[in-house]
Amino acid sequence: MLRYRIVTFNIAHGRGLSPFQGLHGRRRFQRNLQKISKLLDELKPDIVALQEIDENSRWSGSFDHLSYLNALADFRTPCLE
């Protein structure tokens, strides 16, 4: 029997534990995404489903969070949106 590890994670636009999204700069979002990447690396999932991930949104650092995470996590297969 094959087993797969599936991780689903609402990353809340990369804001971390802060309730205020628009008050942070790009570096803070990147640090939060680096923490998420470390967690994914530790869990070693076969499938990852992320909710509330932003792409070029001004209120979350104006960069593509999926591409950033994909580069950090070194996923072996393409991500589907």
Side-chain angles (χ1 to χ4, degrees), residues 30-48:
Q30 288 175 334
R31 278 195 311 267
N32 291 337
L33 292 173
Q34 288 167 5
K35 291 176 185 178
I36 292 168
S37 174
K38 278 186 175 180
L39 176 64
L40 293 174
D41 188 48
E42 290 171 13
L43 293 173
K44 300 193 183 325
D46 298 299
I47 298 168
V48 177

Side-chain angles (χ1 to χ4, degrees), residues 15-70:
R15 74 173 180 262
L17 298 176
S18 172
F20 304 108
Q21 178 95 11
L23 301 178
H24 306 300
R26 180 183 208 151
R27 289 186 132 169
R28 177 129 183 217
F29 290 109
Q30 288 175 334
R31 278 195 311 267
N32 291 337
L33 292 173
Q34 288 167 5
K35 291 176 185 178
I36 292 168
S37 174
K38 278 186 175 180
L39 176 64
L40 293 174
D41 188 48
E42 290 171 13
L43 293 173
K44 300 193 183 325
D46 298 299
I47 298 168
V48 177
L50 300 173
Q51 294 82 44
E52 294 191 23
I53 188 163
D54 285 354
E55 178 183 14
N56 250 353
S57 176
R58 189 175 57 168
W59 78 318
S60 60
S62 297
F63 68 101
D64 185 345
H65 292 193
L66 182 59
S67 294
Y68 188 78
L69 262 179
N70 196 26

